Amino acid sequence: MESSIGYATFIASLLLCLSSFPTPFANARASPLIRSVCKQTQDQFGYNYKQCIKSLWKDIPTRSASNLKDLDISILKLALTNAQQSKAFFVNALNTTGNNIVKVSGAVKQCADSYDFAVDGFAFSIRGIKDNDKSVSQILTQVQDEIVRCEKALTSTEIELPYLVSSTNFLTMLYRDVTFLITSQLFPI
């Protein structure tokens, strides 16, 4: 009898604990703001809607944003963090390639430079959104161009990136595209 009460208490505690962790898709239905930007990102750039929701919903400041400006800033912060991680990877790889083939070193150098620009661009964009600077869209376009330069440089060398770096680069571009769409709505041309 005593063990069944302990078991029931354990199950009840477990269910209570599990119910306190939000699932991305259930809560995404409660966030029309995130749903809307992910739908637009899917329509404009071809991203997977569910993947966009999942990527944005995992971040508490993004999840709690109540307007486009706050959402834009929180996603830009995610993009900045991802760009910093990618930059660190490429700078480290550049410092360790040493006597490797020149083509590989050139691609890694391009990516280190591209992500250096991306870090500065995202940092500028965060300040720009806060200050209502309409040039943020132009900066985000330049960031995109730099990330594409990196991708092209890597493709030309057939370098296989670790999954973590590929994932970080993908998320950086997703965040860039989402923030570009939001910024375009905040500051129409």
Side-chain angles (χ1 to χ4, degrees), residues 44-69:
Q44 183 119 4
F45 296 106
Y47 285 99
N48 180 293
Y49 175 79
K50 288 181 180 179
Q51 189 170 17
C52 177
I53 295 286
K54 184 178 178 183
S55 298
L56 296 180
W57 201 254
K58 68 182 177 185
D59 181 63
I60 292 171
T62 301
R63 189 181 329 158
S64 60
S66 60
N67 58 58
L68 281 177
K69 188 173 185 176

PDB file of all heavy atoms in Angstrom, residues 44-69:
ATOM      1  N   GLN A  44       8.847  33.696 -48.267  1.00  0.00           N
ATOM      2  CA  GLN A  44       9.845  34.519 -48.949  1.00  0.00           C
ATOM      3  C   GLN A  44      11.160  33.790 -49.218  1.00  0.00           C
ATOM      4  O   GLN A  44      11.771  33.968 -50.252  1.00  0.00           O
ATOM      5  CB  GLN A  44      10.122  35.772 -48.121  1.00  0.00           C
ATOM      6  CG  GLN A  44      11.097  36.720 -48.774  1.00  0.00           C
ATOM      7  CD  GLN A  44      10.488  38.060 -49.044  1.00  0.00           C
ATOM      8  OE1 GLN A  44       9.361  38.330 -48.684  1.00  0.00           O
ATOM      9  NE2 GLN A  44      11.243  38.915 -49.670  1.00  0.00           N
ATOM     10  N   PHE A  45      11.612  32.971 -48.254  1.00  0.00           N
ATOM     11  CA  PHE A  45      12.938  32.364 -48.366  1.00  0.00           C
ATOM     12  C   PHE A  45      12.921  30.846 -48.462  1.00  0.00           C
ATOM     13  O   PHE A  45      13.970  30.223 -48.620  1.00  0.00           O
ATOM     14  CB  PHE A  45      13.814  32.776 -47.179  1.00  0.00           C
ATOM     15  CG  PHE A  45      14.097  34.258 -47.123  1.00  0.00           C
ATOM     16  CD1 PHE A  45      13.464  35.052 -46.181  1.00  0.00           C
ATOM     17  CD2 PHE A  45      14.981  34.846 -48.006  1.00  0.00           C
ATOM     18  CE1 PHE A  45      13.716  36.419 -46.117  1.00  0.00           C
ATOM     19  CE2 PHE A  45      15.247  36.201 -47.960  1.00  0.00           C
ATOM     20  CZ  PHE A  45      14.599  36.998 -47.012  1.00  0.00           C
ATOM     21  N   GLY A  46      11.753  30.216 -48.293  1.00  0.00           N
ATOM     22  CA  GLY A  46      11.647  28.772 -48.436  1.00  0.00           C
ATOM     23  C   GLY A  46      12.061  27.954 -47.224  1.00  0.00           C
ATOM     24  O   GLY A  46      12.268  26.752 -47.334  1.00  0.00           O
ATOM     25  N   TYR A  47      12.171  28.577 -46.062  1.00  0.00           N
ATOM     26  CA  TYR A  47      12.518  27.830 -44.856  1.00  0.00           C
ATOM     27  C   TYR A  47      11.360  26.944 -44.428  1.00  0.00           C
ATOM     28  O   TYR A  47      10.202  27.249 -44.682  1.00  0.00           O
ATOM     29  CB  TYR A  47      12.864  28.783 -43.699  1.00  0.00           C
ATOM     30  CG  TYR A  47      14.206  29.430 -43.840  1.00  0.00           C
ATOM     31  CD1 TYR A  47      14.329  30.719 -44.332  1.00  0.00           C
ATOM     32  CD2 TYR A  47      15.356  28.762 -43.464  1.00  0.00           C
ATOM     33  CE1 TYR A  47      15.560  31.324 -44.460  1.00  0.00           C
ATOM     34  CE2 TYR A  47      16.598  29.360 -43.585  1.00  0.00           C
ATOM     35  CZ  TYR A  47      16.696  30.639 -44.082  1.00  0.00           C
ATOM     36  OH  TYR A  47      17.918  31.232 -44.213  1.00  0.00           O
ATOM     37  N   ASN A  48      11.690  25.882 -43.725  1.00  0.00           N
ATOM     38  CA  ASN A  48      10.693  24.997 -43.156  1.00  0.00           C
ATOM     39  C   ASN A  48      10.011  25.727 -41.994  1.00  0.00           C
ATOM     40  O   ASN A  48      10.674  26.172 -41.055  1.00  0.00           O
ATOM     41  CB  ASN A  48      11.371  23.715 -42.673  1.00  0.00           C
ATOM     42  CG  ASN A  48      10.410  22.740 -42.058  1.00  0.00           C
ATOM     43  OD1 ASN A  48       9.844  23.004 -41.004  1.00  0.00           O
ATOM     44  ND2 ASN A  48      10.245  21.613 -42.715  1.00  0.00           N
ATOM     45  N   TYR A  49       8.697  25.848 -42.060  1.00  0.00           N
ATOM     46  CA  TYR A  49       7.921  26.588 -41.062  1.00  0.00           C
ATOM     47  C   TYR A  49       8.134  26.028 -39.658  1.00  0.00           C
ATOM     48  O   TYR A  49       8.404  26.774 -38.719  1.00  0.00           O
ATOM     49  CB  TYR A  49       6.440  26.542 -41.447  1.00  0.00           C
ATOM     50  CG  TYR A  49       5.508  27.165 -40.453  1.00  0.00           C
ATOM     51  CD1 TYR A  49       5.355  28.539 -40.385  1.00  0.00           C
ATOM     52  CD2 TYR A  49       4.764  26.373 -39.583  1.00  0.00           C
ATOM     53  CE1 TYR A  49       4.496  29.127 -39.475  1.00  0.00           C
ATOM     54  CE2 TYR A  49       3.897  26.943 -38.664  1.00  0.00           C
ATOM     55  CZ  TYR A  49       3.761  28.318 -38.620  1.00  0.00           C
ATOM     56  OH  TYR A  49       2.908  28.894 -37.709  1.00  0.00           O
ATOM     57  N   LYS A  50       8.030  24.714 -39.511  1.00  0.00           N
ATOM     58  CA  LYS A  50       8.176  24.105 -38.177  1.00  0.00           C
ATOM     59  C   LYS A  50       9.581  24.303 -37.631  1.00  0.00           C
ATOM     60  O   LYS A  50       9.765  24.527 -36.433  1.00  0.00           O
ATOM     61  CB  LYS A  50       7.822  22.617 -38.228  1.00  0.00           C
ATOM     62  CG  LYS A  50       6.350  22.370 -38.402  1.00  0.00           C
ATOM     63  CD  LYS A  50       6.046  20.887 -38.425  1.00  0.00           C
ATOM     64  CE  LYS A  50       4.557  20.653 -38.609  1.00  0.00           C
ATOM     65  NZ  LYS A  50       4.230  19.223 -38.655  1.00  0.00           N
ATOM     66  N   GLN A  51      10.566  24.230 -38.495  1.00  0.00           N
ATOM     67  CA  GLN A  51      11.943  24.435 -38.042  1.00  0.00           C
ATOM     68  C   GLN A  51      12.149  25.883 -37.585  1.00  0.00           C
ATOM     69  O   GLN A  51      12.846  26.142 -36.604  1.00  0.00           O
ATOM     70  CB  GLN A  51      12.915  24.082 -39.158  1.00  0.00           C
ATOM     71  CG  GLN A  51      14.351  24.050 -38.710  1.00  0.00           C
ATOM     72  CD  GLN A  51      15.263  23.468 -39.774  1.00  0.00           C
ATOM     73  OE1 GLN A  51      14.917  23.374 -40.937  1.00  0.00           O
ATOM     74  NE2 GLN A  51      16.454  23.080 -39.360  1.00  0.00           N
ATOM     75  N   CYS A  52      11.534  26.813 -38.281  1.00  0.00           N
ATOM     76  CA  CYS A  52      11.610  28.221 -37.893  1.00  0.00           C
ATOM     77  C   CYS A  52      10.970  28.416 -36.520  1.00  0.00           C
ATOM     78  O   CYS A  52      11.569  29.032 -35.627  1.00  0.00           O
ATOM     79  CB  CYS A  52      10.905  29.087 -38.943  1.00  0.00           C
ATOM     80  SG  CYS A  52      10.854  30.855 -38.548  1.00  0.00           S
ATOM     81  N   ILE A  53       9.772  27.872 -36.341  1.00  0.00           N
ATOM     82  CA  ILE A  53       9.084  27.975 -35.048  1.00  0.00           C
ATOM     83  C   ILE A  53       9.957  27.386 -33.940  1.00  0.00           C
ATOM     84  O   ILE A  53      10.171  28.008 -32.901  1.00  0.00           O
ATOM     85  CB  ILE A  53       7.720  27.240 -35.085  1.00  0.00           C
ATOM     86  CG1 ILE A  53       6.760  27.899 -36.061  1.00  0.00           C
ATOM     87  CG2 ILE A  53       7.116  27.113 -33.690  1.00  0.00           C
ATOM     88  CD1 ILE A  53       6.170  29.191 -35.620  1.00  0.00           C
ATOM     89  N   LYS A  54      10.465  26.200 -34.177  1.00  0.00           N
ATOM     90  CA  LYS A  54      11.282  25.515 -33.166  1.00  0.00           C
ATOM     91  C   LYS A  54      12.535  26.330 -32.829  1.00  0.00           C
ATOM     92  O   LYS A  54      12.902  26.463 -31.661  1.00  0.00           O
ATOM     93  CB  LYS A  54      11.668  24.128 -33.677  1.00  0.00           C
ATOM     94  CG  LYS A  54      12.432  23.304 -32.681  1.00  0.00           C
ATOM     95  CD  LYS A  54      12.740  21.929 -33.250  1.00  0.00           C
ATOM     96  CE  LYS A  54      13.550  21.106 -32.276  1.00  0.00           C
ATOM     97  NZ  LYS A  54      13.916  19.808 -32.818  1.00  0.00           N
ATOM     98  N   SER A  55      13.186  26.884 -33.843  1.00  0.00           N
ATOM     99  CA  SER A  55      14.413  27.652 -33.629  1.00  0.00           C
ATOM    100  C   SER A  55      14.162  28.933 -32.845  1.00  0.00           C
ATOM    101  O   SER A  55      14.973  29.324 -32.008  1.00  0.00           O
ATOM    102  CB  SER A  55      15.054  28.011 -34.972  1.00  0.00           C
ATOM    103  OG  SER A  55      15.417  26.842 -35.660  1.00  0.00           O
ATOM    104  N   LEU A  56      13.041  29.578 -33.109  1.00  0.00           N
ATOM    105  CA  LEU A  56      12.742  30.833 -32.415  1.00  0.00           C
ATOM    106  C   LEU A  56      12.138  30.604 -31.037  1.00  0.00           C
ATOM    107  O   LEU A  56      12.405  31.350 -30.104  1.00  0.00           O
ATOM    108  CB  LEU A  56      11.789  31.692 -33.255  1.00  0.00           C
ATOM    109  CG  LEU A  56      12.328  32.167 -34.595  1.00  0.00           C
ATOM    110  CD1 LEU A  56      11.278  32.997 -35.314  1.00  0.00           C
ATOM    111  CD2 LEU A  56      13.622  32.930 -34.443  1.00  0.00           C
ATOM    112  N   TRP A  57      11.325  29.556 -30.928  1.00  0.00           N
ATOM    113  CA  TRP A  57      10.583  29.341 -29.692  1.00  0.00           C
ATOM    114  C   TRP A  57      11.455  28.891 -28.529  1.00  0.00           C
ATOM    115  O   TRP A  57      11.112  29.090 -27.372  1.00  0.00           O
ATOM    116  CB  TRP A  57       9.451  28.338 -29.924  1.00  0.00           C
ATOM    117  CG  TRP A  57       8.396  28.469 -28.870  1.00  0.00           C
ATOM    118  CD1 TRP A  57       8.166  27.615 -27.834  1.00  0.00           C
ATOM    119  CD2 TRP A  57       7.460  29.524 -28.713  1.00  0.00           C
ATOM    120  NE1 TRP A  57       7.144  28.077 -27.060  1.00  0.00           N
ATOM    121  CE2 TRP A  57       6.692  29.251 -27.573  1.00  0.00           C
ATOM    122  CE3 TRP A  57       7.205  30.692 -29.435  1.00  0.00           C
ATOM    123  CZ2 TRP A  57       5.672  30.086 -27.136  1.00  0.00           C
ATOM    124  CZ3 TRP A  57       6.189  31.521 -28.992  1.00  0.00           C
ATOM    125  CH2 TRP A  57       5.442  31.206 -27.863  1.00  0.00           C
ATOM    126  N   LYS A  58      12.621  28.333 -28.822  1.00  0.00           N
ATOM    127  CA  LYS A  58      13.477  27.837 -27.741  1.00  0.00           C
ATOM    128  C   LYS A  58      14.120  28.962 -26.937  1.00  0.00           C
ATOM    129  O   LYS A  58      14.598  28.735 -25.844  1.00  0.00           O
ATOM    130  CB  LYS A  58      14.529  26.879 -28.283  1.00  0.00           C
ATOM    131  CG  LYS A  58      15.562  27.543 -29.171  1.00  0.00           C
ATOM    132  CD  LYS A  58      16.545  26.542 -29.725  1.00  0.00           C
ATOM    133  CE  LYS A  58      17.509  27.217 -30.668  1.00  0.00           C
ATOM    134  NZ  LYS A  58      18.385  26.293 -31.314  1.00  0.00           N
ATOM    135  N   ASP A  59      14.121  30.181 -27.471  1.00  0.00           N
ATOM    136  CA  ASP A  59      14.750  31.318 -26.803  1.00  0.00           C
ATOM    137  C   ASP A  59      13.689  32.104 -26.023  1.00  0.00           C
ATOM    138  O   ASP A  59      12.727  32.602 -26.614  1.00  0.00           O
ATOM    139  CB  ASP A  59      15.415  32.217 -27.849  1.00  0.00           C
ATOM    140  CG  ASP A  59      16.110  33.403 -27.230  1.00  0.00           C
ATOM    141  OD1 ASP A  59      17.061  33.197 -26.457  1.00  0.00           O
ATOM    142  OD2 ASP A  59      15.693  34.541 -27.530  1.00  0.00           O
ATOM    143  N   ILE A  60      13.876  32.216 -24.714  1.00  0.00           N
ATOM    144  CA  ILE A  60      12.866  32.850 -23.863  1.00  0.00           C
ATOM    145  C   ILE A  60      12.613  34.318 -24.237  1.00  0.00           C
ATOM    146  O   ILE A  60      11.456  34.721 -24.358  1.00  0.00           O
ATOM    147  CB  ILE A  60      13.232  32.683 -22.374  1.00  0.00           C
ATOM    148  CG1 ILE A  60      13.106  31.205 -22.000  1.00  0.00           C
ATOM    149  CG2 ILE A  60      12.335  33.534 -21.475  1.00  0.00           C
ATOM    150  CD1 ILE A  60      13.630  30.852 -20.631  1.00  0.00           C
ATOM    151  N   PRO A  61      13.641  35.159 -24.450  1.00  0.00           N
ATOM    152  CA  PRO A  61      13.339  36.545 -24.843  1.00  0.00           C
ATOM    153  C   PRO A  61      12.570  36.624 -26.166  1.00  0.00           C
ATOM    154  O   PRO A  61      11.692  37.468 -26.323  1.00  0.00           O
ATOM    155  CB  PRO A  61      14.716  37.199 -24.968  1.00  0.00           C
ATOM    156  CG  PRO A  61      15.602  36.392 -24.090  1.00  0.00           C
ATOM    157  CD  PRO A  61      15.076  34.973 -24.191  1.00  0.00           C
ATOM    158  N   THR A  62      12.887  35.737 -27.094  1.00  0.00           N
ATOM    159  CA  THR A  62      12.156  35.723 -28.364  1.00  0.00           C
ATOM    160  C   THR A  62      10.718  35.298 -28.123  1.00  0.00           C
ATOM    161  O   THR A  62       9.784  35.907 -28.641  1.00  0.00           O
ATOM    162  CB  THR A  62      12.850  34.769 -29.359  1.00  0.00           C
ATOM    163  OG1 THR A  62      14.194  35.217 -29.552  1.00  0.00           O
ATOM    164  CG2 THR A  62      12.137  34.741 -30.690  1.00  0.00           C
ATOM    165  N   ARG A  63      10.550  34.281 -27.342  1.00  0.00           N
ATOM    166  CA  ARG A  63       9.220  33.760 -27.030  1.00  0.00           C
ATOM    167  C   ARG A  63       8.359  34.808 -26.335  1.00  0.00           C
ATOM    168  O   ARG A  63       7.157  34.868 -26.539  1.00  0.00           O
ATOM    169  CB  ARG A  63       9.360  32.526 -26.140  1.00  0.00           C
ATOM    170  CG  ARG A  63       8.089  31.781 -25.925  1.00  0.00           C
ATOM    171  CD  ARG A  63       8.242  30.588 -25.017  1.00  0.00           C
ATOM    172  NE  ARG A  63       9.542  29.953 -25.069  1.00  0.00           N
ATOM    173  CZ  ARG A  63      10.042  29.204 -24.111  1.00  0.00           C
ATOM    174  NH1 ARG A  63       9.370  28.991 -23.017  1.00  0.00           N
ATOM    175  NH2 ARG A  63      11.230  28.649 -24.230  1.00  0.00           N
ATOM    176  N   SER A  64       8.968  35.642 -25.511  1.00  0.00           N
ATOM    177  CA  SER A  64       8.183  36.607 -24.735  1.00  0.00           C
ATOM    178  C   SER A  64       8.051  37.967 -25.418  1.00  0.00           C
ATOM    179  O   SER A  64       7.417  38.872 -24.863  1.00  0.00           O
ATOM    180  CB  SER A  64       8.776  36.768 -23.340  1.00  0.00           C
ATOM    181  OG  SER A  64      10.098  37.235 -23.420  1.00  0.00           O
ATOM    182  N   ALA A  65       8.612  38.134 -26.608  1.00  0.00           N
ATOM    183  CA  ALA A  65       8.484  39.410 -27.322  1.00  0.00           C
ATOM    184  C   ALA A  65       7.015  39.688 -27.633  1.00  0.00           C
ATOM    185  O   ALA A  65       6.290  38.813 -28.101  1.00  0.00           O
ATOM    186  CB  ALA A  65       9.301  39.379 -28.613  1.00  0.00           C
ATOM    187  N   SER A  66       6.597  40.908 -27.368  1.00  0.00           N
ATOM    188  CA  SER A  66       5.184  41.241 -27.559  1.00  0.00           C
ATOM    189  C   SER A  66       4.940  42.146 -28.759  1.00  0.00           C
ATOM    190  O   SER A  66       3.803  42.448 -29.089  1.00  0.00           O
ATOM    191  CB  SER A  66       4.633  41.906 -26.294  1.00  0.00           C
ATOM    192  OG  SER A  66       5.355  43.091 -26.025  1.00  0.00           O
ATOM    193  N   ASN A  67       6.020  42.571 -29.419  1.00  0.00           N
ATOM    194  CA  ASN A  67       5.858  43.403 -30.612  1.00  0.00           C
ATOM    195  C   ASN A  67       7.013  43.129 -31.570  1.00  0.00           C
ATOM    196  O   ASN A  67       7.995  42.471 -31.211  1.00  0.00           O
ATOM    197  CB  ASN A  67       5.785  44.896 -30.232  1.00  0.00           C
ATOM    198  CG  ASN A  67       7.024  45.357 -29.485  1.00  0.00           C
ATOM    199  OD1 ASN A  67       8.141  45.254 -29.983  1.00  0.00           O
ATOM    200  ND2 ASN A  67       6.829  45.870 -28.274  1.00  0.00           N
ATOM    201  N   LEU A  68       6.887  43.617 -32.789  1.00  0.00           N
ATOM    202  CA  LEU A  68       7.893  43.325 -33.823  1.00  0.00           C
ATOM    203  C   LEU A  68       9.279  43.848 -33.455  1.00  0.00           C
ATOM    204  O   LEU A  68      10.282  43.182 -33.709  1.00  0.00           O
ATOM    205  CB  LEU A  68       7.461  43.912 -35.164  1.00  0.00           C
ATOM    206  CG  LEU A  68       6.429  43.124 -35.949  1.00  0.00           C
ATOM    207  CD1 LEU A  68       6.041  43.874 -37.216  1.00  0.00           C
ATOM    208  CD2 LEU A  68       6.945  41.731 -36.300  1.00  0.00           C
ATOM    209  N   LYS A  69       9.348  45.025 -32.870  1.00  0.00           N
ATOM    210  CA  LYS A  69      10.657  45.600 -32.529  1.00  0.00           C
ATOM    211  C   LYS A  69      11.382  44.728 -31.504  1.00  0.00           C
ATOM    212  O   LYS A  69      12.564  44.423 -31.670  1.00  0.00           O
ATOM    213  CB  LYS A  69      10.482  47.022 -32.012  1.00  0.00           C
ATOM    214  CG  LYS A  69      11.775  47.763 -31.803  1.00  0.00           C
ATOM    215  CD  LYS A  69      11.519  49.218 -31.446  1.00  0.00           C
ATOM    216  CE  LYS A  69      12.812  49.999 -31.341  1.00  0.00           C
ATOM    217  NZ  LYS A  69      12.565  51.428 -31.096  1.00  0.00           N
TER     218      LYS A  69
END
